[in-house]
Amino acid sequence: MARRGAGTPFLLRLSLLLLLRPGGEWGPCRSRTLGCASVAVGSPTVPLGSAVTASCTIQSELCRGLERGKVRITWMLDNEPMAGSQRQGPGGTEVSNLTLPRFNRTQAKLWCWVEWNGTKQRVGVAEIRAGYPPAKPFNLSCVLTLSDYGLTCQWQQGADSHLPTSVALKCAGDPRGHPSRCRRSRAQAVTGCTPQGDRSHCTVPRRLLQLYRQMEIWVSATNALGTAESEHLYIDPMDVAKLDPPALQSIQSIPFQTDCIALAWEVARSNAFMELQCELRYRAAEDPAWALVTDIVGQAGTTQHCGFLFGTRYHFQMRCRRSSARGYWSEWSPGRNFTTHEKAPTGKLDAWWSARPAGASGRLEVQLRWKAPRRQEANGRVLGYRVTLSPRRRGRDTPTVCNTTHIQCNFSVPAGTRRVYLSAYNAAGESAATEVILLERKGQPLARLWAVPGGERSLWVRWEAPPAPVAAYILEWQRVSSERGRCSACWQMERDGAATTALIQDGIEPFQRYNISVYPLYKDAIGVPVHTAAYSKQKAPSYAPKLHLKSISKSDAELCWDPVPVEMQNGFITSYTIFWANSTTEVSSATVNPSLSSFVIRELKPSTLYKVHIMASTAAGSTNGTSLTLVTMVLDDIEIQFLFLTLALIFVLLILLLICFQKNGRVKKQFWPSVPDPANSSLGKWVPPFLQEHLQVPGAREPGLATISTVTVLERAAWGKEPAAEPAGPFPAMAQPYVQQEGPGRPGHGWAAAEPRRGPGGSGETVQYARVVGDGYKGQQHAPPRLHLRSSSSQPLLPQPSPSPSPKPYQNLWFHRAAPDGCPGDGGCPEELLATFPLLQGLRIGGAEELQDCRAF
C-alpha cells in the first residue's frame, strides 16, 4: 500500500501530460489549441505599436484529470512571461484574458500555459504580426521595346511595411478612349505583370497592350493592413518606344578647301516606317566634350555640317527617336572616324628671343623660341619651322638660317641684324612669315609683380602696368632646383597690352618653387624684367636641417646648419626654431630668421648636458629635426688660456731666476758663498827646492788631492831678528812661522813670529803651525776671518790634553780678532812680502789679485 501511495502523484502527472499533449485540433486564424483549450486574439495582424487583446479558455470536463478550481492559466510572449486575469466562465470553464497595450514587435508567438500540481504545459498558441500599410510606389516609367513589343516598366518601392506585401503592375484602357480594347474596363482591370521576388520591374507582354492608343498604367501594393497605388500613367505605348540605333554610312568633305562635311546614314529595319528625329555628335581626340548637331529630320539620307577644323581627326555617332512624340532616344550608333583635309597654317606665331655678341667675330648669337600654332591655326600636322633673314617672296629664294621640327633654334646673324622671319609649314603649304624684331631690353619695368596659387597645378600672376603703353607681355617661369636647367616651354605671351593678370599652367607642380619674370613689350624696346617667386601649394618641409656644433664654452654654444634644399622645402621657410633642454627638463626655445644658418645659445650652465633640435616651419606646417647632444665646458677658452699663460709665465720666471743665479756670480755668492779649498791650492803641492830631492811628495808626481802635513816658513833676515841655531842633522832647522797680527790702527794687518808651544809632555819641543787668514773676496760682506791651519805635528791645537782625536786636516777654525802689533808702515801687505815669502805666492789662486788683506797668525 505504501508503494502504491507513493506512485500516485507520478501517475497523475503522466496522465495529465498525455491528456494535454500537443496534437489536438488547431483552430482557425493561426491559433493552435488542444481539444480542451482555445486561444483567441483580437486580430492576428495589427499596426506596429497598437494594442493586442487575447483570451485563453480551458474546459475542465474535456481535460480529464484536471480538478475543478485548481487550474492556473499563465501567458508567455515568445519567452517573456505576461500577466493576465483569470476567472471562471460559463459551463465550468476557466478563462484568462490578456491585454498588451503597445505591441512593438513585428512578429511574435503568444502561448497559453496550464499549471496543475506544479507542472506547466502549453495548451494553445497564437501568431501575431505587426507592421504598416504598404507605402506608395513612385517614379514609375515604362519603355516599349520594338524587338518583341513588350512594355517594360520600373518603379521604386516605398518604405518597408514589415508585412507580406503583394505588388502588381496593372493596366487598363483609357476611360476616355475605348476601354474594350484593353479586354476589360477599368472596373475589371487586367493585371499586367507581377515582379519576381523583391524586384521592382516587370514586362507587360504584347498581347495585353494596345498600341497607338492611350492606356492607364499603375502599380498596386497590398498587405493585410491596406493597399497603395502609384501615380497613374496615361500613355500610348508607342510614345515610349525605344528605337534601334541608325547606322552611319559615309563621311566626306564638300567642297574641297572648306570646313564642311557631308554625312550619310540609314535607319534600322524596325524603324523603317516611322518619321524620325535624329542627333549627331562628334569630337576630336583632344576635346573633352562632344559637339552636338540637332534637328536632323528624315527617315534616311544625308546631312551637312560646317565648322570643322582642317587636318583634324573626328569621331562621329548618331541616334534617333520618333518625331511625333518626345519618347526615348535610341542608343548611340557605332562610332565612325574621319579626318578633315589640311590647309596651310594661318595666324602669327608667338616668339621670344635672347641674343648676345659672339666674341670678336662681329656676329650675334641668337636663341629664338616660339610656341606651336594653335590647333585652329595649324590646319593639320605641322611638318617644320623655317627662320629666314628676309620675308619669302614668290619666285625668289631667301637665305634660311634655321629649318627645324623643334620649337626653338640657335643661330648666328651679322651684328647689325634687327629682324628675322619665322614661318610654319605642313603638307598643304606654308604660313605667312611672323616678323621678330630684335629689340634692346632697356624699357621701363613693371611697377609691381606678385603671384598667387590658382590651383594645385596653376598660378595666377598679377602685376601693375608701367606708365608707358604696353603692346604685350612675356611671362617666363622656371622651377627652382639645385640643378640649374633651362626649359624652353616655360614662357608664354599675353598679346593684350591692357591685361594685368595671367594664368600659367604649363609644367606647374605642387610643393615646388617657381621663379617668375615678366617683360613688358613696347613698340620700340623690351622692358627690364621684374621677378617674383611662388608656390601653387605648400606643406611642411620634407625634413629639417641637421645641426652641427661650431663652438662651445661654459655658457655659450654656437650651432650651425646647412639650409634645406629648395626641392625639399615644400614652401617658403618662415622661420627656424631652436629648442634646447637640460637633464632637469628645463626647455627653452628661440626663433631664428630663415636667412640665417647659425645661432648662439647663451646663458647655459657650465658642465651641463643639453639636448638641442631644430624645427623648420612653412605657412602650411613644421618639421622637427634630429636631436644634438652637447656638454658645456667647465672653463671658457679665455680662462683656460689665462691659466696656461700664468703657468707658463711662472715657469719662465723660474728659468730666468736659475739662469740669473748661474750667470751672475755676485747673486750666486749671496746664496752659495765660494769657499777656497786648500786641498786644491798650490800650497798643497809646493815643496822647497832643497827638500824636493829628499821628499817624495805624491802631489808633485801626479795630480789630484794631496794632504799637506808640513808647512815650512822661511825667515828673512831683513825683519830684524836673527835666525835660530839650526839643529844638527841632515836637514836644516825649520824656521818659525810668521804670523800676521792685527794692529790697533789697522786690524787684521801685521805679521808676528809664532811662539813655540810646549808639548803635552812638558817637553820643550817646538810645535810649528802655519795659519793663513784672508779677507772675503770682492763683493762679499766682511765676516770674521777664517783661519786655515796647517801643522807638521800630530799634537792637537787645544792647550789641554783631550781624549778626542786630533782635528782633521784643513779644519777651519774661527777666532775672535785680537789686537796684535801692527805691521810697520801703512802699506798693509806690500808686494815685497809676497815676493819674499814664496809660501804666500804659492797660495795665490784665481782672483787673488783682488785680495785686499792677508793675515798670518
Side-chain angles (χ1 to χ4, degrees), residues 589-761:
S589 64
T591 302
V592 184
N593 192 287
S595 62
L596 302 178
S597 60
S598 64
F599 180 74
V600 179
I601 304 176
R602 305 188 184 278
E603 300 181 358
L604 300 178
K605 297 180 180 179
S607 186
T608 304
L609 185 144
Y610 287 89
K611 289 189 175 181
V612 188
H613 76 272
I614 188 171
M615 181 178 71
S617 302
T618 65
S622 303
T623 301
N624 288 321
T626 57
S627 178
L628 173 67
T629 302
L630 55 89
V631 179
T632 55
M633 303 177 66
V634 179
L635 298 175
D636 282 336
D637 292 340
I638 298 178
E639 296 175 345
I640 294 175
Q641 293 174 5
F642 181 77
L643 179 60
F644 276 103
L645 184 61
T646 303
L647 294 177
L649 184 60
I650 293 173
F651 180 75
V652 170
L653 290 176
L654 291 176
I655 296 298
L656 291 177
L657 286 175
L658 291 176
I659 295 174
C660 184
F661 291 157
Q662 184 71 22
K663 296 295 182 180
N664 194 337
R666 183 176 296 177
V667 178
K668 180 178 180 181
K669 290 174 182 178
Q670 294 295 329
F671 293 94
W672 300 284
S674 178
V675 178
D677 188 0
N680 293 327
S681 66
S682 60
L683 180 62
K685 301 177 182 179
W686 180 83
V687 177
F690 62 89
L691 291 178
Q692 292 180 1
E693 298 177 357
H694 304 281
L695 297 178
Q696 299 294 330
V697 182
R701 296 189 300 269
E702 57 187 28
L705 294 176
T707 302
I708 301 174
S709 62
T710 302
V711 177
T712 302
V713 181
L714 300 179
E715 273 187 356
R716 183 180 180 184
W719 284 49
K721 290 186 179 181
E722 295 292 332
E726 296 179 2
F731 301 97
M734 302 296 292
Q736 292 182 357
Y738 288 88
V739 179
Q740 184 181 11
Q741 299 178 356
E742 296 177 359
R746 292 185 64 177
H749 295 272
W751 294 88
E755 297 182 356
R757 187 182 298 274
R758 296 192 178 274

Side-chain angles (χ1 to χ4, degrees), residues 405-544:
T405 58
H406 302 290
I407 55 175
Q408 74 173 30
C409 182
N410 298 329
F411 55 90
S412 63
V413 295
T417 304
R418 287 291 175 263
R419 287 177 173 81
V420 294
Y421 298 88
L422 173 66
S423 60
Y425 58 90
N426 59 15
E430 187 171 352
S431 67
T434 300
E435 184 182 40
V436 180
I437 304 176
L438 305 181
L439 301 174
E440 295 183 4
R441 298 183 180 183
K442 61 181 182 179
Q444 294 182 358
L446 298 177
R448 184 187 172 199
L449 175 67
W450 69 99
V452 295
E456 287 193 4
R457 299 186 179 276
S458 62
L459 287 169
W460 277 107
V461 183
R462 295 185 171 89
W463 60 87
E464 291 182 6
V470 179
Y473 293 95
I474 292 291
L475 287 83
E476 276 188 339
W477 63 96
Q478 185 175 10
R479 176 175 168 178
V480 181
S481 174
S482 300
E483 299 179 359
R484 287 288 181 179
R486 194 144 186 97
C487 174
S488 61
C490 298
W491 69 278
Q492 71 182 37
M493 176 181 287
E494 289 295 325
R495 292 186 175 276
D496 185 5
T500 56
T501 61
L503 180 66
I504 58 177
Q505 297 174 298
D506 189 11
I508 301 298
E509 296 181 2
F511 318 124
Q512 297 297 326
R513 184 186 301 179
Y514 292 88
N515 286 337
I516 304 171
S517 304
V518 177
Y519 299 78
L521 302 183
Y522 300 99
K523 183 178 180 180
D524 54 355
I526 297 177
V528 177
V530 178
H531 311 282
T532 188
Y535 282 87
S536 62
K537 187 177 182 181
Q538 300 187 55
K539 67 176 182 179
S542 298
Y543 62 87

Side-chain angles (χ1 to χ4, degrees), residues 196-268:
Q196 298 180 0
D198 295 332
R199 297 178 180 178
S200 56
H201 62 85
C202 67
T203 300
V204 179
R206 170 67 180 86
R207 57 185 178 84
L208 299 178
L209 297 177
Q210 184 178 6
L211 302 180
Y212 302 102
R213 297 286 185 179
Q214 292 288 330
M215 294 187 66
E216 183 181 8
I217 302 174
W218 72 97
V219 179
S220 175
T222 304
N223 64 13
L225 297 181
T227 301
E229 294 182 352
S230 67
E231 295 291 337
H232 290 220
L233 293 180
Y234 298 93
I235 59 173
D236 179 355
M238 292 300 298
D239 290 341
V240 294
K242 188 172 185 178
L243 307 182
D244 295 331
L248 296 177
Q249 296 295 321
S250 63
I251 304 174
Q252 59 182 355
S253 297
I254 54 164
F256 191 73
Q257 290 295 323
T258 65
D259 59 352
C260 300
I261 64 165
L263 184 144
W265 82 95
E266 65 178 6
V267 297

Side-chain angles (χ1 to χ4, degrees), residues 757-777:
R757 187 182 298 274
R758 296 192 178 274
S763 63
E765 179 182 2
T766 300
V767 181
Q768 296 182 7
Y769 293 89
R771 293 179 290 180
V772 180
V773 181
D775 286 343
Y777 290 100

